[in-house]
């Protein structure tokens, strides 16, 4: 069913049940391409494989439900003002796709470019962010420097007084940055891919990666049987090391719990997204009215999908300092996701030492924003068997050659 | 917050400790003698298991000493510690 004013009205007044948005598929014995992981990145990859490369004999497998990983757990901050040219290229590629994504998918992903403001609290922050502003201008990406008063004007609830332990010294603002509805992104891509023939198989855990006698990929073993495919793409975020281990590939990754929490819903009070790496807090307001708050990662690697209470309380302390008017709000829910962190805080996209095995991972604490761009360049990489130009610098090989893409300053734990 | 049993001081709260990453990663004795792949493996490749993990901790705000621990990364339960 295509959504339009007419179809919505007919549905609203006709009283019929809403149709399912994608087919519930049984796994077939073989596919051209098997994608492991039905998060935003895996589903977007399937969508663009079908749409742009005509490869429709594709299955997307997930051990749980689609979008139930980090995609459905993230704080949805979208921006493209990274430092290095390679990063700017991929995140900006994604941002351009966000701008037209609802139309492209005929599904409202609620992309809202309300501005992302990153606060500077010390001399080091100020220099780093100004360097970002200049680098971004050279890259043709919007990013501007604000004084504390301009930051306050852009976000009235923000406290910019000098009495704070870490007063706001300025801010970098990307006006085109913002948020989107995470579930809708997964659902929109799933619906679009399914309509073009892609099988989305939920509750199907991959337990092994099988190989041909010559070493190339032969398919996957799953809890729902063997599935053959000459191309297997692992898009499993925090579980990537586990899956790649099934093919004997050691990864430059560590998995950490990352938490988020939401407050009770209140009337509109936060007009934009505010991030602070230094005091460790990220905040925006959802359309339901909840303040959506991102906390930090735990110190140690873990798959617990929980995270320590001291991590989220630390963030709430910072939020209360930055936004004194939020002090009496109650928190409603908190949760964790498992993020896969690379040594240079940049993703890994491309081929692997195993022929036919592709990987897209390492997005760590900040890959939601890249979802459309990542899926788009990864689909091209799988279809052609060689990296898309935007993906090329992000190959696994960079850890051997030393051509790292250092985004630690921009993305220390941030989004 | 984890309760971490320091082999010298006994159980202490996690925020007294500093996490030291995977245990048993050995620096090549002569870095110039190994190829780039081996050097990359030493610097960057980690087991990152879902299950038992051998890791290093330092009792930073206590006795200051390093020790090894084995922790289940699914439950975060520490199943054993060892003095170096
Ligand atoms: C709390 C939190 C806040 C965040 N905030 C932001 C933010 O504000 N902005 C931003 O840009 N990014 C943010 N991120 C990061 C972002 O969520 C991720 O980078 C992104 O969603 C990753 O998408 P994905 O599709 O690769 O992974 P996922 O959505 O995690 O999908 C991977 C899928 O693989 C499946 N899988 C794993 N193992 C197997 C197996 N063996 N067999 C089958 N399936 C398997 C999982 O079930 C999962 O559904 C945040 C993350 C968290 C946890
Ligand atoms: Zn001790």
């Amino acid at each position: 069913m295509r959504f339009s004013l007419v179809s919505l009205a007919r549905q609203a007044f006709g009283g019929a049940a809403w149709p399912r948005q994608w087919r519930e598929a049984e796994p077939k014995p073989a596919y051209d391409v098997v994608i492991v992981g039905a998060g935003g990145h895996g589903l977007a990859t399937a969508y663009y494989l079908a749409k742009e490369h005509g490869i429709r004999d594709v299955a997307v497998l997930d051990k749980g439900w689609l979008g139930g990983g980090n995609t459905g757990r993230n704080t949805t901050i979208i921006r493209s003002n990274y430092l290095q040219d390679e990063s700017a290229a991929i995140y900006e590629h994604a941002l351009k796709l966000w701008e037209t994504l609802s139309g492209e998918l005929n599904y409202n992903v609620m992309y809202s470019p309300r501005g992302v403001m990153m606060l500077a609290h010390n001399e080091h922050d100020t220099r780093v962010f100004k360097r970002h502003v200049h680098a971004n201008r050279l890259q043709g990406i919007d990013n501007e420097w604000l004084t504390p008063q301009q930051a306050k004007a852009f976000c009235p609830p923000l406290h910019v007084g000098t009495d704070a332990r870490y007063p706001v010294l300025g801010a970098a603002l990307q006006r085109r940055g913002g948020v989107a509805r995470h579930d809708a992104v997964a659902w929109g891509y799933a619906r679009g891919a399914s309509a073009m023939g892609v099988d989305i198989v939920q509750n199907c855990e991959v337990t092994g990666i099988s190989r041909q006698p010559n070493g190339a990929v032969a398919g996957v073993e799953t809890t729902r049987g063997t599935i053959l495919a000459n191309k297997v793409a692992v898009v499993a975020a925090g579980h990537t090391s586990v899956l790649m281990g099934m093919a004997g590939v050691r990864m430059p990754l560590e998995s950490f719990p990352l938490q988020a929490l939401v407050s009770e819903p209140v009337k509109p009070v936060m007009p934009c997204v505010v991030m602070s790496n230094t005091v460790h807090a990220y905040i925006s307001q959802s359309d339901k009215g909840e303040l959506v708050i991102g906390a930090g990662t735990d110190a140690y690697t873990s798959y617990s999908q929980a995270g320590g209470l001291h991590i989220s309380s630390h963030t709430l302390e910072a939020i209360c300092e930055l936004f004194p008017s939020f002090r009496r709000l109650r928190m409603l829910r908190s949760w964790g996701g498992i993020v896969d962190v690379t040594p240079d805080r940049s993703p890994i996209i491309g081929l692997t030492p195993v022929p036919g095995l592709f990987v897209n991972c390492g997005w760590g604490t900040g890959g939601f924003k890249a979802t459309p761009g990542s899926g788009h360049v990864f689909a091209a990489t799988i279809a052609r068997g060689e990296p898309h130009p935007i993906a090329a610098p992000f190959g696994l090989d960079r850890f051997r050659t030393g051509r790292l893409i250092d985004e630690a300053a921009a993305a220390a734990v941030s989004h | 917050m984890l309760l971490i049993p320091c082999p010298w001081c006994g159980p202490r709260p996690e925020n007294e400790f500093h996490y030291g990453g995977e245990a048993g990663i050995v620096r090549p004795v002569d870095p110039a003698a190994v190829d780039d792949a081996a050097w990359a493996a030493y610097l960057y490749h980690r087991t990152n298991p879902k299950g038992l993990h051998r890791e290093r901790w330092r009792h930073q705000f206590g006795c200051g000493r390093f020790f090894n621990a084995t922790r289940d990364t699914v439950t975060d339960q520490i199943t054993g510690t060892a003095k170096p």
Side-chain angles (χ1 to χ4, degrees), chain A residues 63 205 238-239 241-242 250-257 298-305 307-311 340 343 396 398-402 404, chain B residues 1-2 4 14-15 17-19 21-22 25 35-41 43-51 53 55 57 71-76:
Chain A
K63 67 182 168 72
E205 178 168 356
H239 282 78
S241 297
V242 177
R250 267 173 81 83
M251 296 294 288
L253 289 173
E254 288 188 301
S255 297
F256 296 93
D298 281 292
Y300 48 86
T301 64
S302 176
Y303 290 81
S304 66
Q305 213 155 256
L309 185 60
H310 61 295
I311 303 285
D340 45 336
L396 193 49
R398 74 174 184 273
F399 298 97
R400 188 182 58 77
T401 61
L404 302 192
Chain B
M1 190 175 305
L2 304 180
I4 300 176
E14 178 193 329
N15 54 8
F17 295 82
H18 183 78
Y19 181 63
E22 180 170 358
I25 305 279
D35 63 7
D36 291 349
W39 187 242
L43 284 180
Y44 305 125
H45 292 177
R46 295 295 177 264
T47 311
N48 195 23
K50 185 175 186 175
H53 188 226
E55 59 196 21
W57 287 89
R71 182 175 52 90
D72 185 330
T73 61
V74 179
T75 60
D76 287 339

Side-chain angles (χ1 to χ4, degrees), chain A residues 32-364:
Chain A
D32 287 345
V33 180
V34 162
I35 295 173
V36 185
H41 290 238
L43 292 164
T45 304
Y47 177 85
Y48 293 113
L49 269 176
K51 172 101 192 286
E52 305 218 332
H53 306 279
I55 301 176
R56 298 176 175 208
D57 188 27
V58 176
V60 189
L61 314 179
D62 202 287
K63 67 182 168 72
W65 65 96
L66 72 83
N70 293 344
T71 298
R73 297 166 184 269
N74 87 97
T75 52
T76 79
I77 299 172
I78 296 171
R79 61 184 181 89
S80 66
N81 52 352
Y82 282 68
L83 179 63
Q84 310 294 348
D85 291 349
E86 296 86 348
S87 321
I90 194 161
Y91 290 107
E92 180 64 17
H93 182 52
L95 192 58
K96 293 225 168 75
L97 291 171
W98 278 114
E99 285 166 349
T100 55
L101 193 59
S102 294
E104 162 77 21
L105 296 176
N106 178 239
Y107 202 86
N108 189 359
V109 301
M110 298 165 76
Y111 167 59
S112 161
R114 57 185 70 174
V116 173
M117 197 162 76
M118 299 168 77
L119 304 179
H121 298 277
N122 55 41
E123 189 55 34
H124 176 74
D125 286 354
T126 307
R127 286 190 199 175
V128 167
F129 289 158
K130 283 190 175 169
R131 182 175 172 212
H132 275 68
V133 168
H134 295 313
N136 291 147
R137 286 199 177 165
L138 290 172
Q139 292 151 349
I141 290 169
D142 69 305
N143 194 10
E144 61 195 91
W145 179 254
L146 303 185
T147 63
Q149 289 66 39
Q150 288 169 322
K152 171 93 182 155
F154 193 71
C155 181
L158 180 67
H159 176 57
V160 294
T162 50
D163 55 329
R165 171 67 183 83
Y166 293 102
V168 175
L169 300 183
L173 170 66
Q174 184 174 34
R175 291 182 192 271
R176 288 159 66 234
V179 291
R181 170 103 163 87
H182 48 15
D183 292 330
V185 176
W187 298 339
Y189 275 121
R191 170 174 173 267
S194 179
M196 290 184 285
V198 171
D199 280 355
I200 296 161
V201 187
Q202 306 183 79
N203 301 311
C204 179
E205 178 168 356
V206 171
T207 53
I209 294 177
S210 44
R211 312 276 285 273
Q212 299 171 20
N214 67 2
V217 152
V220 292
E221 303 298 332
T222 79
T223 48
R224 295 173 70 175
T226 302
I227 303 174
L228 300 178
N230 287 334
K231 290 184 177 180
V232 171
V234 173
V235 199
H239 282 78
T240 304
S241 297
V242 177
L243 279 151
M244 295 300 286
M246 296 173 191
V249 180
R250 267 173 81 83
M251 296 294 288
L253 289 173
E254 288 188 301
S255 297
F256 296 93
L258 178 68
Q259 295 180 71
L261 56 170
V262 292
S263 74
E264 57 189 323
V266 289
K267 289 195 171 165
V269 56
M270 270 296 288
C272 60
V273 180
V274 170
M275 310 178 35
S276 167
N277 297 359
T278 297
V279 301
H280 238 122
Y282 314 95
I283 183 165
S284 65
Q285 190 169 19
S286 74
D287 293 320
K288 271 191 286 183
E290 303 159 333
L291 293 175
V292 181
I293 296 170
T297 53
D298 281 292
Y300 48 86
T301 64
S302 176
Y303 290 81
S304 66
Q305 213 155 256
L309 185 60
H310 61 295
I311 303 285
S312 44
S313 8
H314 177 72
T315 288
L316 290 179
E317 285 163 12
I319 294 287
C320 292
E321 181 98 344
L322 288 174
F323 301 95
S325 58
F326 298 166
R327 280 182 189 166
R328 277 174 294 168
L329 282 177
R330 273 177 293 215
M331 290 299 130
L332 213 57
R333 288 177 288 127
S334 75
W335 63 88
I338 300 300
V339 298
D340 45 336
V341 177
T342 58
D344 60 358
R345 302 296 188 272
S346 287
I348 298 168
I349 314 166
L351 284 63
T352 71
V354 178
L357 183 64
F358 298 81
V359 71
N360 183 342
C361 66
W363 292 97

Side-chain angles (χ1 to χ4, degrees), chain B residues 5-10 12 16-17 58-65 67:
Chain B
C6 171
W8 285 281
C9 313
R12 297 293 181 89
E16 290 186 11
F17 295 82
R58 179 167 177 249
H59 195 186
Q60 190 169 16
F61 302 111
C63 64
R65 283 190 269 196
F67 58 93

